[in-house]
Amino acid sequence: MTDEKLKQEQADEEMINQAFQHLLESYLTSKHRRKVEIITKAFNFAKQAHKGVKRRSGEPYIMHPIAVAQIACSEIGLGSTSICAALLHDVVEDTDYTVEDIENLFGPKVAQIVDGLTKISGGIFGDRASAQAENFKKLLLTMNDDIRVILIKIADRLHNMRTLGSMLPNKQYKIAGETLYIYAPIANRLGLNKIKTELEDLSFKYEHPEEYAQIESLLKETKEEREELFREFTAPIREKLDKMGIKYRILARVKSPYSIWNKMQTKHIPFEEIYDILAVRIIFEPSDLEEESNECFGIYVSISKIYKPHPDRLRDWVNHPKSNGYQALHVTLMSNKGQWIEVQIRSERMNDIAEQGFAAHWKYKDGPTQEDEGELEKWLRTIKEILDDPQPDAMDFLDTIKLNLFASEIFIFTPKGEIKTMPQNCTALDFAFSIHTFLGSHCIGAKVNHKLVPLSHKLQSGDQVEILTSKSQRVQPSWINFATTAKAKAKIAGILKREQRAMVQTGEDKLQEFFQNEEVEWNDENIQKLCDLHELATPEELFAALGFKTILLGEADRNELKKDKPATGSGWKKFIPLPFIGGKANKEKKEPRQKAPKQKIDSKKVLKLTPDAFQKNYIIADCCKPIPGDDVLGYIDDQDRIVIHKRKCPLADKLKAGFGNRILAVEWETGKALEFPVNLYIQGIDTLGILHQIGDIISEQLNVYIRKIFIETIDGLFEGHIQLYVHDVEDVNVIIANLQKMEEMKKVVRVEQFEDKP
């Protein structure tokens, strides 16, 4: 062994031991029982199992399990069982050791958690499905038995995100997208607010590095101004609280880069127009735990005498905690500088729950309150109900799980005055399913505040709701379109799929009878002929359509089966598409499939988007319409075409989360050779000749071709949309800058869709 190699090994050993000692020290300062021996045993076992293996960054692999255990211990507050499981979480997957070996050495609990964290082989959804969704489903199944599985998985994901810089770009997009789509919402749902924020910021940093750096720079530039505002605003509050004899601390909360960027995107506003970057937190120690709620409101009354409160922005999460256990009193006050500032009033206990989440303490520490346990149990029960209804499509499954993870909450009252927490924008139908599946599947309408409303009626916080039912009522396919909660959607889809399965069998019997009568051989080729004729993706869709009588077999089918080559698709009988037949394929596929020639793609390389590429197998996604200069990625679709999406596109987020192995890193190299359509939204003060001025700037001064324009004026204001052809983002920025120079123009932003109604 060379001296250099020996030195490296000694340095690695020292680094490993230091990291493990830091973990032990963190554990010993926690409230947990002192089980150092079993943690040391797990560390030594994992260290031996991963011996000689390096991470892509070059450090010894064991550093990753230690880091995950450190996060689980310090940032989530878990105990020895979780720390052992975190240290061992990759052993079964990456070495020859089995779950049985783990159980023999560390007991059934640790083994069960490790098994839940180990990736799976074999499909729940079938061959073409997403392995990511498979693993996620297994994770959730195990989570029903032990919540610590998902908590350690979140710790694992956080460390992977912190070390994502050493990965290839396409892997970065996959992991960052999956994190934003699934793991950040789950961290939020479990009350891990700090971790949720870091996961979002890291995903943003790797997907949009330039925009991340720009917002960080703007935050740094405006730091002194914010600190001055904070000092001035809190000085009279401190004086008041000191007089009241309250033990407190006041902190400034600065909005995270991802939250700022997200608001800029959704509201189409610049950084300068985001006024809630600064919020104030008052964290106090109650004189008595029973007086905690009263003291919150006492502080609110005192500070609202100093500054005027916003009448519509008082949020009482103290008496009605969020379903992730969050408690605080939020009030928005007008500062002396004419700026609204949100103040969050919390006790130290509430602050701990807000930062770490009560899930970490659930059943494993001093014992949570009945209320906390009830909320978490309720959420786990909802997850279990979703898992009980098998989802054939991997992406549908991920969507169903994600649906309510980030939803804001409202309070609904039953006819007897009981309070129920529901997601914002939920309907009367959602409320019916939340109470009982039978109630949901047989409901015909509802009374909201004693007035009759349809099932699609959106509920408001404070509504009193009575569900009306009929035994003859059946679940309707259209319900899936206005149900908004995961539970309602899953139940409706489950009932419709059970009906569909029966119809698939009926349809198959009909087709077999038709084949027999026509003396046609029953084989895959002939069935596929009819699928292509009716533009259906799978034989199951064909059988279902026949069962539901939305397709009637006739002359066109007979001719198709007797031909030697596939028909063009003319002469087929019209059928009505049902929303639950065909899933994603049916929604997307309207044209007969034309398989592009297979191409060899090296997913490790960054593909160049040259003008020639668009003559071949590259297409621009219609959902987000990227142009050169946008942050983009490639997705290999079912027809082996490379679809170019914006990295921030909602559909791309789903694809990264569900089909990461098909994601490619791509870069624009089109120069000024190609033109792409782009849509602008404009708004301003209407004056004589305004349309002529806009046309003059775009067409005459900038020499850009306007494809279409729609403008409407109401009460002296105009707003509208313009579609132009441009070469790249640089062109768009020049056009926007020139239009903004017009005195009458108040807003110009790029949008995805052209609308002939602003």
Side-chain angles (χ1 to χ4, degrees), residues 470-583:
S470 165
K471 283 183 180 176
S472 61
Q473 176 68 297
R474 283 175 60 250
V475 170
Q476 303 300 312
S478 60
W479 288 8
I480 205 110
N481 298 324
F482 56 78
T484 66
T485 63
K487 182 175 179 178
K489 275 190 179 287
K491 287 294 172 192
I492 293 164
I495 292 164
L496 292 173
K497 276 166 189 142
R498 279 194 287 278
E499 285 183 10
Q500 189 188 3
R501 278 197 289 273
M503 288 298 112
V504 165
Q505 188 56 56
T506 305
E508 192 174 349
D509 293 343
K510 277 186 184 177
L511 192 61
Q512 280 185 337
E513 190 183 333
F514 182 76
F515 274 33
Q516 277 177 355
N517 293 339
E518 297 300 322
E519 297 179 350
V520 173
E521 188 184 341
W522 179 268
N523 59 33
D524 291 346
E525 188 186 344
N526 284 328
I527 294 169
Q528 190 58 47
K529 278 183 182 181
L530 296 188
C531 286
D532 291 342
L533 174 70
H534 295 293
E535 295 186 9
L536 295 170
T538 64
E540 284 71 29
E541 287 179 42
L542 177 66
F543 300 152
L546 290 168
F548 281 106
K549 297 181 182 175
T550 55
I551 288 179
L552 300 173
L553 295 165
E555 196 63 36
D557 305 275
R558 200 173 285 118
N559 293 340
E560 184 68 24
L561 291 166
K562 300 289 167 84
K563 281 183 184 177
D564 291 327
K565 58 181 183 178
T568 58
S570 58
W572 52 276
K573 295 205 186 287
K574 189 163 180 62
F575 71 95
I576 305 158
L578 292 175
F580 54 91
I581 294 178

Side-chain angles (χ1 to χ4, degrees), residues 35-263:
K35 291 188 176 178
V36 173
E37 196 179 317
I38 193 158
I39 293 173
T40 307
K41 183 182 174 185
F43 163 68
N44 289 326
F45 182 80
K47 185 181 169 189
Q48 187 58 39
H50 295 301
K51 193 173 183 182
V53 182
K54 301 268 184 174
R55 296 192 85 205
R56 184 176 271 276
S57 59
E59 67 178 17
Y61 193 87
I62 187 64
M63 291 299 290
H64 169 64
I66 295 171
V68 174
Q70 184 70 52
I71 293 166
C73 175
S74 304
E75 298 181 52
I76 304 178
L78 297 171
S80 58
T81 303
S82 302
I83 292 169
C84 288
L87 288 166
L88 300 164
H89 79 272
D90 279 335
V91 167
V92 174
E93 191 182 325
D94 296 343
T95 73
D96 294 332
Y97 289 107
T98 63
V99 175
E100 288 74 25
D101 295 330
I102 303 291
E103 186 170 351
N104 292 334
L105 286 163
F106 300 98
K109 263 292 165 203
V110 172
Q112 183 188 28
I113 296 170
V114 170
D115 186 37
L117 292 161
T118 303
K119 286 180 184 167
I120 54 174
S121 55
I124 297 169
F125 298 113
D127 298 338
R128 299 212 59 169
S130 149
Q132 286 150 278
E134 302 276 5
N135 291 322
F136 191 66
K137 184 160 189 177
K138 184 195 174 199
L139 197 65
L140 290 175
L141 284 163
T142 319
M143 188 182 85
N144 280 305
D145 300 319
D146 199 323
I147 191 75
R148 290 174 290 189
V149 172
I150 200 81
L151 293 170
I152 296 165
K153 185 63 187 174
I154 287 167
D156 177 44
R157 178 50 57 115
L158 180 57
H159 185 248
N160 283 335
M161 288 303 296
R162 285 173 178 173
T163 56
L164 199 58
S166 57
M167 301 293 280
L168 293 166
N170 67 314
K171 283 282 174 68
Q172 288 180 351
Y173 303 152
K174 166 201 173 301
I175 293 167
E178 189 180 68
T179 300
L180 209 52
Y181 193 72
I182 294 290
Y183 289 100
I186 285 189
N188 177 67
R189 192 62 181 73
L190 293 170
L192 302 167
N193 185 56
K194 243 175 139 179
I195 289 176
K196 176 215 74 160
T197 303
E198 190 177 347
L199 288 173
E200 287 175 340
D201 282 346
L202 288 168
S203 298
F204 174 40
K205 181 182 175 181
Y206 285 105
E207 291 219 280
H208 305 284
E210 287 176 17
E211 285 158 298
Y212 177 84
Q214 187 185 13
I215 289 173
E216 284 275 75
S217 170
L218 288 165
L219 282 172
K220 203 176 275 185
E221 283 172 27
T222 53
K223 189 181 176 185
E224 275 185 38
E225 192 184 314
R226 269 195 314 277
E227 285 175 351
E228 181 59 31
L229 174 63
F230 176 71
R231 276 193 298 273
E232 280 184 24
F233 181 77
T234 57
I237 293 175
R238 289 176 196 276
E239 201 178 313
K240 187 77 173 173
L241 296 180
D242 287 339
K243 277 183 189 173
M244 292 167 71
I246 293 171
K247 285 176 81 175
Y248 69 92
R249 53 198 176 102
I250 299 183
L251 306 174
R253 185 236 64 185
V254 178
K255 209 173 183 68
S256 69
Y258 172 77
S259 295
I260 293 168
W261 176 77
N262 204 32
K263 196 162 190 176

Side-chain angles (χ1 to χ4, degrees), residues 307-551:
Y307 300 110
K308 289 277 180 263
H310 194 296
D312 300 325
R313 291 201 203 161
L314 177 67
R315 299 285 180 269
D316 177 12
W317 302 113
V318 174
N319 294 314
H320 304 292
K322 289 187 179 183
S323 54
N324 62 12
Y326 178 84
Q327 281 183 289
L329 189 63
H330 290 196
V331 56
T332 305
L333 304 172
M334 175 61 79
S335 74
N336 294 333
K337 290 194 170 179
Q339 196 170 330
W340 289 111
I341 294 178
E342 185 181 73
V343 179
Q344 302 165 357
I345 306 165
R346 310 170 173 175
S347 68
E348 288 287 358
R349 180 192 66 82
M350 293 174 192
N351 191 59
D352 286 343
I353 289 171
E355 293 302 309
Q356 282 199 320
F358 68 76
H361 310 267
W362 183 66
K363 287 186 180 175
Y364 307 113
K365 287 184 86 173
D366 303 326
T369 67
Q370 193 66 41
E371 186 181 335
D372 285 350
E373 188 172 326
E375 285 294 351
L376 191 57
E377 286 281 15
K378 194 164 72 179
W379 184 59
L380 291 174
R381 201 162 51 246
T382 304
I383 295 286
K384 194 170 190 318
E385 284 173 354
I386 294 163
L387 292 166
D388 285 344
D389 277 318
Q391 302 283 331
D393 184 278
M395 296 314 297
D396 284 352
F397 166 71
L398 284 179
D399 276 352
T400 307
I401 288 293
K402 184 179 182 290
L403 203 57
N404 290 97
L405 291 175
F406 251 155
S408 298
E409 289 155 345
I410 59 173
F411 302 112
I412 305 296
F413 292 93
T414 67
K416 291 181 180 177
E418 291 172 33
I419 195 163
K420 298 272 183 189
T421 306
M422 292 292 292
Q424 201 166 29
N425 296 321
C426 69
T427 61
L429 181 67
D430 294 314
F431 184 68
F433 272 104
S434 77
I435 295 169
H436 198 279
T437 303
F438 180 85
L439 200 67
S441 56
H442 290 84
C443 67
I444 52 172
K447 280 186 178 178
V448 174
N449 305 326
H450 310 293
K451 288 181 183 173
L452 194 64
V453 297
L455 295 176
S456 56
H457 177 82
K458 283 193 177 177
L459 302 177
Q460 304 293 322
S461 202
D463 281 348
Q464 189 172 27
V465 183
E466 181 188 350
I467 300 298
L468 308 174
T469 61
S470 165
K471 283 183 180 176
S472 61
Q473 176 68 297
R474 283 175 60 250
V475 170
Q476 303 300 312
S478 60
W479 288 8
I480 205 110
N481 298 324
F482 56 78
T484 66
T485 63
K487 182 175 179 178
K489 275 190 179 287
K491 287 294 172 192
I492 293 164
I495 292 164
L496 292 173
K497 276 166 189 142
R498 279 194 287 278
E499 285 183 10
Q500 189 188 3
R501 278 197 289 273
M503 288 298 112
V504 165
Q505 188 56 56
T506 305
E508 192 174 349
D509 293 343
K510 277 186 184 177
L511 192 61
Q512 280 185 337
E513 190 183 333
F514 182 76
F515 274 33
Q516 277 177 355
N517 293 339
E518 297 300 322
E519 297 179 350
V520 173
E521 188 184 341
W522 179 268
N523 59 33
D524 291 346
E525 188 186 344
N526 284 328
I527 294 169
Q528 190 58 47
K529 278 183 182 181
L530 296 188
C531 286
D532 291 342
L533 174 70
H534 295 293
E535 295 186 9
L536 295 170
T538 64
E540 284 71 29
E541 287 179 42
L542 177 66
F543 300 152
L546 290 168
F548 281 106
K549 297 181 182 175
T550 55
I551 288 179

Side-chain angles (χ1 to χ4, degrees), residues 682 684-704 706 709 711 718 722 724 735 738-746:
I682 57 172
I685 296 159
D686 187 29
T687 57
L688 192 65
I690 191 75
L691 191 58
H692 178 73
Q693 283 184 61
I694 293 167
D696 182 53
I697 288 169
I698 295 171
S699 301
E700 301 297 320
Q701 293 180 28
L702 301 171
N703 200 26
V704 173
I706 298 176
I709 186 166
I711 288 186
F718 74 82
I722 307 172
L724 316 161
I735 292 163
N738 278 272
L739 287 173
Q740 283 174 333
K741 287 175 186 172
M742 291 171 61
E743 194 181 335
E744 299 86 356
M745 190 71 72
K746 298 303 171 191

